[in-house]
Each structure stands twice: as C-alpha cells, then as structure tokens.
C-alpha cells in the first residue's frame, strides 16, 4: 500500500481535503458543531496557502495545510 502525495490544485482534491477535515475534526474528534459535510476557511483561498493530500489506493487518508505569513497573517494570530 503506497502512499501518494500531491499538491491540491483541482476542485476534486480540494473537496476531498475539506471533507477529510470534517471527518477528522467533526466525526472522529467532535471538536466543533458544524452541520456542513466539509470544513474550509478564508485561508484556503489565499496564495500563501498550499494543501497537500495523501492518498492510499486512491482514497484520501491525510492532509496538511501549509500557510506562509502574508498580508492576512496566520490563522493562529486570529484564534488567540
């Protein structure tokens, strides 16, 4: 079972990342009360943001979001 990593650039990969976040943060960890089946925020639309999706046998299994500091700052600056 080889893991494939790819930079998220297309609509399908973006949807997979946002649904995977929902599965982890809502369904598994029960961190938030969100009724939508996906999680994204404004930082996902910024040029300074890159999402990387990990797939196993074509199924999304993990993701990471890398955000470089930009005009809007970083998510942590707005959370704390």
């Amino acid at each position: 079972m080889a893991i494939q990593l790819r930079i998220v650039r297309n609509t399908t990969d973006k949807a997979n990342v946002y649904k995977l976040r929902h599965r982890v943060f809502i369904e598994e960890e029960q961190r938030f009360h969100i009724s939508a089946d996906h999680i994204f925020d404004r930082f996902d639309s910024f040029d300074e943001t890159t999402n990387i999706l990990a797939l196993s046998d074509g199924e999304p299994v993990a993701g990471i979001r890398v955000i470089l500091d930009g005009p809007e700052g970083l998510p942590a600056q707005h959370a704390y």
Side-chain angles (χ1 to χ4, degrees):
M1 164 169 67
I3 299 291
Q4 176 190 15
L5 297 176
R6 66 177 174 226
I7 295 175
V8 173
R9 293 195 172 114
N10 64 52
T11 301
T12 300
D13 285 347
K14 288 179 182 182
N16 283 330
V17 166
Y18 306 152
K19 288 179 182 179
L20 185 60
R21 287 181 193 165
H22 182 276
R23 190 173 82 211
V24 171
F25 294 124
I26 307 301
E27 297 173 22
E28 294 177 11
E29 296 182 2
Q30 300 177 354
R31 285 191 184 193
F32 311 107
H33 300 286
I34 297 173
S35 60
D37 67 346
H38 57 280
I39 297 175
F40 66 93
D41 63 21
R42 64 192 183 105
F43 288 94
D44 287 305
S45 68
F46 297 159
D47 288 336
E48 293 82 13
T49 301
T50 300
N51 281 291
I52 300 170
L53 182 62
L55 300 116
S56 177
D57 296 325
E59 290 294 316
V61 294
I64 188 166
R65 180 169 76 169
V66 179
I67 304 173
L68 301 176
D69 196 7
E72 292 294 316
L74 300 169
Q77 292 172 301
H78 300 278
Y80 303 101

